[in-house]
Amino acid sequence: MTSDLQAVDIRIENIADYEGQRVTIKGWLYASTRKGKLLFVRLRDGSGMTQGVAFLPEVGEEIFETLKRLGQESSLIVSGMVRANPRAPGVPKGFEIGIDAVEVVQETADYPITPKDHGVEFLMDQRHLWLRSSQQWAIMRVRTTIKRAIIDFLDNQGFLNIDTPIITPSAAEGTSTLFPVNYFDEQAYLAQTGQLYNEANIMAFGKVYCFGPTFRAEKSKTRRHLAEFWMVEPEIAYCDLDDLMEFEEQFVSYVVQTTLEKRGPELELLGRDLTALENVKPPFPRISYDEAVERIHAIREATNDPELKELLQIEWGDDFGSPHETELTKQFDRPVFVYGYPTQVKAFYMEPWPGRPEVCKSVDLLAPEGYGEIIGGSERMSDPDVLVEAINRHELPLEHYEWYVDLRKFGSVPHSGFGLGLERTVAWICGIDHIRQTSPYPRTLNRLRP
Ligand code: 4AD
Ligand code: MG
């Protein structure tokens, strides 16, 4: 049976606008369940998921049997009336389609990802298909919204988006994580950061950002490290450390609140505790590295867990590891700034703390609920001699940094900036425990495919 009514082509995400109308959806079959003369088919079309209902006496044997037979991920075009049904699952939920016509585009059998539990490595091998699954789909939808919010915020604040090179001749964030590139027989590297170029760009444009892929040959197999990740790096002229923190808390709060507003159903599908995100509003607590170390010592004293005691060992001057950040951030209900790290654990370009050269004007932003560092930033050195001294101390080849030193010779000003890791931010906002699910095709120490 087909209806004589004209149908409009729609995308599922707009289904609420078509209640009472006959529509056509072009998509895929996610699952189907039969209950007597009723067949419930879960349909997805890339923009959402909805329930189609086929009632045997209405659709007739042929359509009913066809739908019943189709395997998961068969592609199909269905038409029918949109009805409100508060119990209908989906994104958006609360609507369903009373199916009256079906066109099978391709019938599929033996789709490898079934509703049973698969191991993550298997699913990662099937990443090209796994992206269709509802949770992965939701994460990517949240990711694009976070990207958009980042760009909107910065553009509205008068930042210029200036691109920085991906192929670079030198290191900026430590030489141990460089990916080498053979550049016409010269040694080059994939960019670890666009920051040094941003610093040149602000002297031309005042406030800039770059936003793109970044590469780190990280040998660590943690839940927080990718070899290729996206980073947004704003840089601001005439900005000191305090100005920077004020800016960062506005920025991160905007991104979180905008994502909550636009992607509630996706976050709900992921089982995210939304109240934890609603808390993300300025001001964020600010603690010094010195205080952070004291707090970690106190947590260590207080715990009866010998393993945790071991993991939380730290002395002044050490960098924080994941366990330190995790335990520290559990003490706060929103992101927390830790500023003034020891110079020895940070990159060469950070402004020394006045009167305390062993400390630098760095600030990391640690996300709550154990997510840890999502932003690294600092006030930058503005004196050319101090900078040259730091470059030499780090045993970096000065000839590669002469242009960077120039910036301190021709109208040097106090300036600051930071980098926010997109994937870590997505993991935190989505509430998922491993960064690999936040990248469509993650690159890690042991994964280059698909
Ligand atoms: O702290 P990082 O290394 O800082 C910089 O690269 C500065 N040049 C940024 C700047 O000031 N313009 O990295 C910044 C952020 C981290 O806080 C983290 O969120 C992310 O980038 N990040 C990674 N994300 C995933 N995998 C990795 N291997 C990452 N390394 C850093
Ligand atoms: Mg860092």
Side-chain angles (χ1 to χ4, degrees):
M1 181 197 91
T2 48
S3 168
D4 308 331
L5 272 175
Q6 276 301 103
V8 273
D9 279 5
I10 68 158
R11 299 195 86 207
I12 292 172
E13 65 184 342
N14 304 321
I15 195 167
D17 301 338
Y18 294 90
E19 194 189 330
Q21 294 186 51
R22 185 165 185 264
V23 301
T24 296
I25 286 172
K26 298 174 174 168
W28 296 264
L29 180 80
Y30 202 55
S32 60
T33 352
R34 182 183 178 169
K35 286 205 179 112
K37 290 183 178 164
L38 279 172
L39 193 66
F40 295 96
V41 289
R42 292 188 60 200
L43 301 164
R44 50 169 210 90
D45 73 345
S47 78
M49 280 167 253
T50 197
Q51 166 170 288
V53 186
F55 184 43
L56 179 58
E58 278 177 12
V59 297
E61 200 84 24
E62 196 190 326
I63 290 181
F64 196 84
E65 287 306 317
T66 305
L67 276 173
K68 206 177 80 181
R69 188 185 69 227
L70 290 181
Q72 188 184 347
E73 288 307 315
S74 294
S75 40
L76 76 174
I77 300 173
V78 306
S79 300
M81 290 293 242
V82 176
R83 313 188 279 244
N85 171 2
R87 279 165 309 148
V91 181
K93 59 184 176 196
F95 295 91
E96 63 185 18
I97 295 181
I99 296 177
D100 63 41
V102 174
E103 181 189 327
V104 177
V105 180
Q106 188 193 42
E107 197 169 330
T108 296
D110 303 324
Y111 185 67
I113 303 175
T114 58
K116 74 163 194 189
D117 256 353
H118 298 283
V120 171
E121 285 307 318
F122 170 83
L123 291 168
M124 273 297 167
D125 288 339
Q126 305 289 330
R127 187 63 171 164
H128 54 296
L129 303 176
W130 193 25
L131 285 171
R132 305 178 188 193
S133 298
S134 59
Q135 299 230 333
Q136 303 308 307
W137 171 85
I139 294 167
M140 289 309 134
R141 303 254 299 173
V142 173
R143 180 182 160 118
T144 65
T145 299
I146 293 172
K147 275 177 84 178
R148 170 58 51 202
I150 286 169
I151 291 168
D152 285 347
F153 184 84
L154 295 171
D155 288 354
N156 288 335
Q157 296 273 330
F159 281 71
L160 223 56
N161 176 209
I162 305 278
D163 301 320
T164 52
I166 283 179
I167 302 176
T168 58
S170 50
E173 292 297 325
T175 48
S176 64
T177 62
L178 288 168
F179 267 116
V181 175
N182 180 339
Y183 191 72
F184 307 117
D185 292 331
E186 195 185 331
Q187 180 70 79
Y189 307 96
L190 296 178
Q192 299 167 306
T193 168
Q195 180 199 320
L196 306 196
Y197 297 97
N198 277 345
E199 288 184 61
N201 295 339
I202 53 165
M203 304 304 172
F205 305 102
K207 301 199 273 189
V208 305
Y209 67 97
C210 59
F211 193 5
T214 307
F215 306 89
R216 305 263 171 107
E218 299 274 8
K219 291 274 158 42
S220 43
K221 284 194 213 166
T222 75
R223 297 181 291 120
R224 297 177 182 178
H225 288 93
L226 293 169
E228 177 180 311
F229 62 95
W230 276 59
M231 179 158 60
V232 58
E233 296 184 86
E235 191 75 25
I236 311 168
Y238 289 104
C239 174
D240 67 13
L241 191 66
D242 287 328
D243 301 332
L244 185 70
M245 288 192 256
E246 220 157 281
F247 179 77
E248 284 182 23
E249 67 193 9
Q250 296 293 340
F251 172 66
V252 170
S253 301
Y254 175 85
V255 169
V256 170
Q257 297 311 320
T258 304
T259 308
L260 259 174
E261 205 176 288
K262 300 203 165 147
R263 290 289 180 234
E266 284 83 354
L267 292 170
E268 214 173 291
L269 188 153
L270 292 166
R272 185 65 169 108
D273 168 13
L274 299 183
T275 50
L277 295 177
E278 281 156 11
N279 285 338
V280 181
K281 297 206 169 124
F284 297 169
R286 301 176 184 190
I287 62 174
S288 66
Y289 169 88
D290 299 353
E291 182 183 339
V293 170
E294 275 169 30
R295 281 175 182 261
I296 293 165
H297 281 158
I299 300 168
R300 204 171 161 257
E301 290 292 302
T303 182
N304 294 319
D305 177 352
E307 208 178 316
L308 188 61
K309 246 192 212 322
E310 178 71 27
L311 283 171
L312 289 183
Q313 260 188 23
I314 190 163
E315 276 174 45
W316 195 98
D318 295 342
D319 202 358
F320 296 139
S322 300
H324 304 113
E325 290 181 356
T326 300
E327 293 307 312
L328 188 63
T329 57
K330 280 185 189 166
Q331 301 190 329
F332 303 93
D333 72 344
R334 64 195 68 197
V336 53
F337 288 115
V338 180
Y339 62 87
Y341 281 73
T343 307
Q344 67 195 41
V345 301
K346 290 294 182 190
F348 70 94
Y349 49 70
M350 299 191 181
E351 178 76 6
W353 201 272
R356 267 188 96 187
E358 73 283 9
V359 172
C360 61
K361 290 179 110 178
S362 67
V363 61
D364 282 1
L365 185 68
L366 312 183
E369 301 168 88
Y371 283 92
E373 181 193 332
I374 54 168
I375 287 184
S378 72
E379 187 173 327
R380 321 304 191 186
M381 280 174 180
S382 51
D383 181 88
D385 298 333
V386 176
L387 178 59
V388 169
E389 207 263 321
I391 291 169
N392 289 333
R393 187 160 21 91
H394 283 258
E395 296 178 356
L396 296 166
L398 187 58
E399 65 275 18
H400 285 183
Y401 298 88
E402 257 148 23
W403 66 269
Y404 185 65
V405 178
D406 265 0
L407 306 174
R408 280 75 181 165
K409 293 184 183 162
F410 306 112
S412 188
V413 298
H415 63 286
S416 303
F418 66 91
L420 170 127
L422 177 64
E423 289 79 3
R424 286 195 194 171
T425 305
V426 174
W428 164 48
I429 293 180
C430 287
I432 51 177
D433 64 1
H434 203 298
I435 196 169
R436 65 190 157 205
Q437 289 186 40
T438 65
S439 169
Y441 300 96
R443 299 289 173 250
T444 58
L445 189 55
N446 54 12
R447 182 165 294 282
L448 175 61
R449 297 178 180 80

